Amino acid sequence: DQVDHQVDEDEHHGHHHQVGHHHRAIELVDAVDDDWDKFADFATYDAFTREWLSQARRVMKPSATIFVIGSYHNIFRVGAIMQDLGFWILNDIVWRKNNPMPNFRGRRFTNAHETMIWAARSQSDRNYTFHYDLLKSGNEDVQMRSDWFIPLCTGGERIKDGKGRKAHPTQKPEELLARIILSSSNPGDLVLDPFFGSGTTGAVAKRCCGQAVRAALSRHRARSGLCQSGAKPYRGCDPA
């Protein structure tokens, strides 16, 4: 099946010498240090990124678009690979966080944003879905800008494990996913998130579009995500 919209929370930051965001003697932040986020070198990360983006592009309808969310660790490499593969970048969108994690050692600017790349399948695919008027009407009749001021996922929205710890290190806020999905999807569309993670994309897509295609990377992530989305696993995903 081809999909109408893709949301890719590319949680893989490509850490190798900077594993777990521990920049030697510089700073230590609460971030991703799971095994799935560790790569031997940039070449290994680039090969991984090229493969999943190629498969994502393969299943996109001509009217589909893709959002890829990343940080300064990886988004520039991702963008270059997307252009090499033939994606046509429509916008880069800055997600500004009004409650970012502080920079504890004062050696860098507080990292208060992530970058989203929004792209069509190719330059020739010009009939992509985009609800300009809907976004404008929900923004006090002002054009929706490419900088979005949305807080981090906290409080009751944050999914916790049995020990009260956050179940996924990069869970995105529902407000962010809702704006993405509503901007470029229609009721009944298939929404694909290759990195299902906490399941926020599936939960929001189910409310906005009625259905979503999902893919989880591990049984632990599948359990967390299915708990939120209330949906059955996608194809080979076994949450047991």
Side-chain angles (χ1 to χ4, degrees), residues 170-198:
T170 64
Q171 182 181 343
K172 300 298 186 293
E174 291 188 10
E175 182 181 352
L176 179 71
L177 273 300
R179 186 176 298 182
I180 289 172
I181 292 170
L182 288 171
S183 71
S184 46
S185 300
N186 297 303
D189 277 358
L190 291 178
V191 179
L192 171 64
D193 184 350
F195 307 107
F196 193 45
S198 61

Side-chain angles (χ1 to χ4, degrees), residues 30-52:
D30 180 18
V32 185
D33 61 359
D34 291 0
D35 287 342
W36 51 259
D37 193 44
K38 297 174 183 177
F39 294 84
D41 48 39
F42 282 130
T44 303
Y45 176 76
D46 289 350
F48 167 80
T49 301
R50 185 176 296 274
E51 175 61 22
W52 78 256

Side-chain angles (χ1 to χ4, degrees), residues 5 63 73 90 112 117 159 195 206:
H5 188 192
S63 60
H73 298 93
L90 302 169
I117 297 174
I159 300 175
F195 307 107
K206 187 176 180 181

